[in-house]
């Protein structure tokens, strides 16, 4: 059985003051190999919690999670992470960062060298490979993070707002890059974002989550990711269905936000 | 007080002077800033001010010690030296008065001086001659050679024509003449504004002493041995402290049990100044090398443990998560993430620890030692050898500064990412 299988996953945080937060409730999800799924939802709906459970950093209070037929019990090289920022190792050069995974497996330069250089080429950092991390711009740093994750050849790539800290132009270029990498490598990818447009562009499947308790609100299957590969993303955005979907989902999230506001006012 | 006022005057004066001479307008980006007051980055240390500041210290030092390095006109008024003359008027029982002169040779302290020959003169009061060292004072028993002595009611009633009574004084151009309750004159040549060498020797005397001690040594050890011993103790104590403290700090940062166990000890020992441990260490280990190295070990230990602990606590959890997701084992995370991530903190701690150790070693040597920079100045101070004391202090300062510069340099080379993430 290949792919990611999540079954009735629930997560409850017990707070020190005795109360608790139901961050996730009965989340079920199947992801086939090579699928690209974006996750959208208002702040606090449990997106990061879900990703951390898949990554193996958190153990769910109940439910099951399997990758390729075996249980997920902790972090592993089969599930790569790309964080929003601050996850690169400043004490290593760009190339040392990218080759970190293979090196930890005990591979030598001979084994990983060609692949690492190839990845540096793809993300356009060949000229910067000996530079220190703090000498790079934010966009370049995220490209290093992507390359580092890919160099390790994981089965699933988990991204938590990977482009969230970038400016609009850089972000658009990075979106194209993510699509390109997805197509070239055929990896299974889960990408969390706060941008509805990004979720539409970078999701074969799009998951909209709702808060309190965190749960899956709706799921879409979208054509835009396939359209966007090797294309100008602005062309994709001109697609009539794109605008329609965007308005629909924006409205949905607005409604949820309003409901939260209303509820917290009721609680007062 | 005067010195302080002169210092302020030079501070203010050079500010305006330098502004007149040197073009101070900021260059580059700062030149375009309109708001500089309150913008910390627009305040850079003014090099000219630093140079003038150091020159001022040496200038004042030289001026108030009569340094031969300075031209004479820059000297503060020195003590009177040379031949002072004055007259006294004596009165005897019979009411007769007579006048005679006193000649005083005021000579530099440490030089032998011959009492000047004077003609006794006529009248029953005879002329006198004395020698007095500069900055000193001396009694002038003018009645001794007079024909009418104390037995005939000899009494000095005036100096330089100005009346004087027991307990009173007369100021002459050469200094102060006082009269004791018993009627004896004493003379205190004018001291001027300069410091006496036993309080503050001039710079060249310190330099000369440095040369002497560098070639002949002091107290059976050469200068390099003294300084070498101090440095050796610091380095051994610091290295031992770091070798124990850093692993201890890591353990405290990584294990709840270690942290619980050592927290009370570290938190208690941290505020105890190492100097307060000197007596205990002397009781336990004596005044030899062992005692000093134990003391420095303790001084460095807590600082390094705390630095390593906060270095570990400061590691960004996303880096650790990222490393796990890339397949690193615990040991690899320790080696490739936690240790390098804590290096900046450890370097900061090491700089502090080196400073504390250097201060502590000098203090410990002041208390008891056979060799060392602290011992050198302590022994010298017992013999009032102020030049050696000053030389020692300057060397201690220079070495301490040098250590810090070296540490900073090492920091820049070894942890270039410090403060840049
Ligand atoms: N360690 C924790 N302890 C207690 N509560 C937590 C913890 N982590 C998350 N939560 C709670 O779980 C809920 C979901 O948090 P989560 O971070 O998953 O949201 P999110 O959807 O990622 O939000 P955002 O879009 O702002 O990143 C929130 O209400 C949060 O307060
Ligand atoms: Mg006489």
């Amino acid at each position: 059985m290949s792919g990611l299988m999540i079954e009735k996953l629930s997560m409850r945080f017990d707070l020190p003051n005795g109360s608790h937060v139901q961050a996730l409730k009965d989340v079920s999800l199947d992801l086939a190999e090579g699928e690209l799924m974006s996750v959208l939802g208002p702040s606090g709906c449990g997106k990061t919690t879900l990703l951390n459970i898949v990554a193996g950093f958190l153990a769910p209070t109940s439910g099951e999670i399997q990758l390729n037929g075996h249980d997920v019990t902790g972090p592993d090289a089969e599930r790569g992470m790309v964080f929003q920022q601050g996850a690169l190792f400043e004490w290593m050069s760009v190339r040392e960062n990218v080759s970190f995974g293979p090196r930890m497996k005990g591979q030598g330069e001979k084994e990983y060298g060609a692949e690492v250089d190839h990845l540096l080429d793809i993300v356009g950092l060949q000229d910067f490979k000996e530079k220190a991390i703090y000498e790079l711009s934010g966009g370049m740093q995220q490209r290093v993070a992507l390359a580092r994750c890919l160099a390790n050849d994981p089965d699933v790539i988990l991204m938590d707002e990977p482009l969230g800290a970038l400016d609009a132009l850089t972000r658009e270029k990075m979106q194209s890059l993510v699509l390109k990498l997805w197509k070239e490598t055929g990896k299974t990818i889960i990408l969390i974002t706060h941008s509805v447009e990004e979720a539409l562009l970078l999701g074969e499947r799009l998951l909209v989550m709702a808060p309190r308790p965190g749960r899956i609100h709706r799921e879409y299957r979208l054509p835009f990711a396939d359209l966007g590969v090797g294309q100008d993303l602005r062309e994709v955005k001109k697609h009539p269905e794109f605008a329609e979907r965007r308005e629909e989902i924006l409205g949905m999230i607005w409604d949820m936000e309003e409901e939260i506001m209303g509820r917290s006012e009721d609680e007062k | 007080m005067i010195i302080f006022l002169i210092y302020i005057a030079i501070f203010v004066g050079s500010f305006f002077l330098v502004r007149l001479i040197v073009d101070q307008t900021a260059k580059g980006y700062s030149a375009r800033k309109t708001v500089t007051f309150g913008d910390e980055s627009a305040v850079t240390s003014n090099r000219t001010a630093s140079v003038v500041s150091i020159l001022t210290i040496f200038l004042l030092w030289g001026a108030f010690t009569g340094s031969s390095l300075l031209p004479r006109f820059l000297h503060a008024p020195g003590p009177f030296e040379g031949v002072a003359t004055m007259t006294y008027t004596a009165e005897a029982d019979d009411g007769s008065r007579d006048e005679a002169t006193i000649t005083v040779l005021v000579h530099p302290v440490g030089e032998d001086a011959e009492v000047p020959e004077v003609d006794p003169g006529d009248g029953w009061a005879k002329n006198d001659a004395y020698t007095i060292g500069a900055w000193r004072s001396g009694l002038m028993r003018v009645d001794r050679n007079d024909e009418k002595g104390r037995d005939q009611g000899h009494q000095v009633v005036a100096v330089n024509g100005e009346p004087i009574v027991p307990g009173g004084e007369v100021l002459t151009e050469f200094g102060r003449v006082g009269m004791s309750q018993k009627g004896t004159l004493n003379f205190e040549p004018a001291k001027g504004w300069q410091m006496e060498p036993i309080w503050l020797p001039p710079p060249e005397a310190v330099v000369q002493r440095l040369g002497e001690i560098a070639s002949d040594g002091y107290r059976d050890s050469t200068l390099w041995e003294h300084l070498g011993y101090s440095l050796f103790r610091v380095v051994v104590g610091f290295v031992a402290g770091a070798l124990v403290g850093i692993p201890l700090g890591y353990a405290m940062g990584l294990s709840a049990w270690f942290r619980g166990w050592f927290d009370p000890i570290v938190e208690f020992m941290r505020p105890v100044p190492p100097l307060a441990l000197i007596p205990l260490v002397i009781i336990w280990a004596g005044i030899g090398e062992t005692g000093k190295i134990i003391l420095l070990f303790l001084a460095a230990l807590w600082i390094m443990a705390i630095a390593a602990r906060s270095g570990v606590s400061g590691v960004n959890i996303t880096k650790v998560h990222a490393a796990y997701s890339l397949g690193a084992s615990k040991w690899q995370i320790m080696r490739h993430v936690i240790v390098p991530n804590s290096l900046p903190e450890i370097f900061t701690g090491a700089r502090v620890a080196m400073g504390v150790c250097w201060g502590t070693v000098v203090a410990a040597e002041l208390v008891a030692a056979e060799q060392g920079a602290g011992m050198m100045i302590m022994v010298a101070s017992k013999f009032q050898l102020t030049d050696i004391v000053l030389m020692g202090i300057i060397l201690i300062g220079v070495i301490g500064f040098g250590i810090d510069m070296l540490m900073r340099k090492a920091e820049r080379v070894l942890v270039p990412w410090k403060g840049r993430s």
Side-chain angles (χ1 to χ4, degrees):
Chain A
M1 212 190 112
S2 83
L4 184 71
M5 194 267 302
I6 295 172
E7 183 78 15
K8 290 224 173 232
L9 200 71
S10 292
M11 183 74 196
R12 209 176 86 162
F13 289 108
D14 292 313
L15 302 179
N17 63 11
S19 65
H20 54 81
V21 180
Q22 190 74 41
L24 292 174
K25 190 162 169 54
D26 294 336
V27 174
S28 296
L29 185 69
D30 277 301
L31 209 62
E33 210 178 316
E35 273 189 316
L36 170 61
M37 184 172 81
S38 53
V39 181
L40 202 59
S43 190
C45 68
K47 305 183 291 291
T48 298
T49 307
L50 178 64
L51 211 70
N52 280 338
I53 292 172
V54 177
F57 304 139
L58 288 174
T61 31
S62 68
E64 249 189 285
I65 168 163
Q66 289 190 339
L67 178 65
N68 300 336
H70 61 264
D71 283 334
V72 167
T73 51
D76 191 283
E78 65 185 8
R79 281 161 279 123
M81 284 287 274
V82 178
F83 295 90
Q84 183 169 0
Q85 57 182 193
L88 295 176
F89 307 130
E90 286 93 359
W91 42 92
M92 298 179 193
S93 69
V94 167
R95 198 164 187 281
E96 285 168 332
N97 263 283
V98 174
S99 61
F100 185 81
R103 286 190 291 129
M104 292 306 106
K105 282 188 208 130
Q107 292 184 4
E109 167 73 31
K110 276 203 198 95
E111 292 157 87
Y112 64 72
E115 172 66 10
V116 165
D117 282 325
H118 172 64
L119 282 168
L120 284 170
D121 267 334
I122 294 184
V123 298
L125 288 174
Q126 194 57 252
D127 295 343
F128 296 86
K129 61 181 179 185
E130 298 308 329
K131 283 248 165 16
I133 294 302
Y134 49 83
E135 293 173 287
L136 304 184
S137 72
M140 288 163 140
Q141 292 187 3
Q142 281 317 78
R143 282 188 269 160
V144 176
L146 275 173
R148 181 176 73 174
C149 184
L150 286 167
N152 209 31
D153 196 25
D155 297 332
V156 181
I157 299 180
L158 309 170
M159 307 192 189
D160 194 350
E161 297 181 43
L163 314 182
L166 305 180
D167 66 280
L169 270 176
T170 314
R171 192 165 182 162
E172 211 169 290
K173 285 186 211 149
M174 291 291 290
Q175 289 166 348
S176 295
L177 180 65
V178 170
L179 280 180
K180 180 176 145 196
L181 290 174
W182 169 62
K183 255 296 156 283
E184 274 185 22
T185 61
K187 300 282 176 205
T188 315
I189 299 179
I190 302 181
L191 182 141
I192 293 179
T193 174
H194 267 137
S195 150
V196 175
E197 283 200 349
E198 187 167 287
L200 290 168
L201 286 171
L202 301 185
E204 270 187 304
R205 295 170 64 183
L206 193 168
L207 207 64
V208 181
M209 291 182 64
R212 302 191 178 197
R215 61 196 185 276
I216 295 175
H217 182 70
R218 245 197 102 167
E219 219 205 292
Y220 293 86
R221 284 199 170 265
L222 300 165
F224 310 115
D226 280 319
L227 289 176
V229 176
Q231 243 228 52
D232 189 346
L233 293 183
R234 264 164 297 168
E235 292 302 317
V236 179
K237 289 184 197 170
K238 284 181 193 153
H239 204 285
E241 199 191 336
F242 190 91
E244 197 181 304
R245 286 276 179 256
R246 188 181 60 201
E247 291 314 309
E248 179 185 338
I249 294 171
L250 267 176
M252 195 183 298
I253 290 180
W254 269 115
D255 286 347
M256 282 187 233
E257 296 271 6
E258 253 163 41
E259 204 184 318
I260 302 174
M261 302 284 274
R263 234 192 296 173
S264 35
E265 260 157 43
D266 287 348
E267 278 164 20
K268 280 180 197 163
Chain B
M1 192 61 210
I2 297 274
I3 296 182
F4 184 60
L5 288 178
I6 296 177
Y7 189 75
I8 292 181
I10 295 181
F11 176 84
V12 176
S14 58
F15 171 70
F16 288 109
L17 199 69
V18 169
R19 220 163 56 154
L20 270 181
I21 305 171
V22 189
D23 175 29
Q24 293 266 314
T25 42
K27 290 167 194 73
Y29 171 49
S30 281
R32 313 302 322 153
K33 285 185 180 170
T34 52
V35 175
T36 52
F37 187 84
D39 178 356
E40 200 274 333
S41 65
V43 180
T44 49
S45 174
N46 187 321
R47 295 268 160 219
T48 324
S50 309
V51 172
V52 174
S53 162
I54 292 172
L55 285 181
T56 304
I57 289 174
F58 278 93
L59 183 82
L60 287 178
W61 182 7
F64 283 89
T65 51
S67 166
S68 60
L69 300 175
L70 284 183
R72 274 201 162 269
F73 70 91
L74 280 176
H75 286 179
F80 172 77
E81 275 171 24
V83 179
T85 54
M86 59 201 85
T87 62
Y88 71 93
T89 313
E91 194 180 276
D93 283 347
D94 53 11
S96 66
R97 285 189 173 204
D98 194 10
E99 206 174 77
T101 63
I102 312 174
T103 309
V104 183
L105 174 63
V106 182
H107 59 90
V109 179
E111 281 177 25
D112 285 330
E114 300 240 323
V115 179
E117 299 259 336
V118 287
D119 176 36
D122 37 51
W124 56 263
K126 300 295 182 201
N127 297 338
D128 300 83
Y130 301 95
T131 61
I132 295 179
W135 279 299
R136 305 278 185 273
S137 65
L139 294 179
M140 301 190 293
R141 300 187 193 280
V142 290
D143 53 295
R144 289 258 171 101
N145 61 353
D146 291 358
E147 280 166 12
K148 296 180 180 174
R150 288 225 170 174
D151 49 338
Q152 293 177 38
H154 179 293
Q155 202 181 354
V156 177
V157 293
V159 168
N160 280 351
E162 286 180 49
I164 191 165
V165 293
E169 61 175 23
V170 167
L171 299 176
T172 74
E173 58 178 309
F174 304 109
R176 192 187 74 98
V177 179
M179 186 184 256
S180 73
Q181 294 300 339
K182 288 186 178 148
T184 311
L185 290 182
N186 60 65
F187 178 51
E188 212 182 292
K191 288 192 161 83
W193 287 358
Q194 290 185 8
M195 301 281 281
E196 210 178 327
I198 58 162
W199 304 126
L200 182 67
E204 68 267 21
V206 175
V207 172
Q208 190 196 343
R209 190 62 93 156
L210 176 66
E212 268 170 37
I213 292 186
S215 53
D216 304 346
Y218 184 66
R219 295 260 138 183
D220 303 332
S221 306
T222 66
L223 178 65
W224 312 119
E225 276 172 345
H226 283 300
L227 299 177
Y229 263 101
S230 299
L231 267 175
F232 164 77
R233 291 165 184 150
V234 166
V235 170
V236 173
F238 168 78
V239 168
L243 283 181
V244 178
I246 294 175
L248 179 65
Y250 281 146
M252 288 173 71
L254 294 168
S255 145
W257 184 255
F258 268 94
R259 181 174 298 195
W261 189 278
F262 287 106
D263 244 351
I265 302 175
V266 170
E267 294 299 330
F268 174 77
M269 288 308 293
R270 172 162 67 165
V272 176
L275 298 186
L277 300 174
I278 293 180
L280 188 65
V281 169
I282 289 181
I283 293 173
W284 283 353
I287 62 162
E289 291 311 302
T290 332
K292 291 197 182 58
I293 288 173
I294 291 178
L295 184 71
L296 296 175
F297 165 76
L298 290 174
L301 176 64
W302 314 120
I303 299 178
M304 293 315 290
I306 289 169
R309 184 186 65 183
S310 61
V312 175
S313 320
V315 62
N316 189 340
I317 186 63
T318 58
K319 290 196 204 323
V320 176
H321 277 172
Y324 272 117
S325 296
L326 290 165
S329 66
K330 275 189 185 166
W331 172 245
Q332 286 172 327
I333 287 193
M334 182 75 196
R335 159 86 180 71
H336 295 286
V337 181
I338 292 175
V339 169
N341 192 75
S342 64
L343 281 184
E345 290 267 7
I346 287 182
F347 260 94
T348 310
R351 265 177 66 193
V352 174
M354 273 304 234
V356 170
C357 281
W358 183 242
T360 308
V361 79
V362 172
E365 288 166 354
L366 289 178
V367 176
E370 304 278 306
Q371 297 93 359
M375 167 269 177
M376 205 164 60
I377 60 178
M378 192 62 204
V379 172
S381 87
K382 286 190 183 135
F383 296 101
Q384 283 261 11
L385 294 168
T386 318
D387 42 4
I388 297 186
V389 174
L390 271 178
M391 178 199 82
I393 292 174
I394 293 174
L395 285 178
I396 289 168
V398 167
I399 292 175
F401 181 71
I403 291 176
D404 200 54
M405 292 307 282
L406 272 181
M407 300 289 283
R408 273 198 233 185
K409 192 137 205 136
E411 192 173 37
R412 265 201 298 276
V413 174
L414 294 173
V415 284
W417 64 89
K418 184 178 184 189
R420 300 224 238 169
S421 49

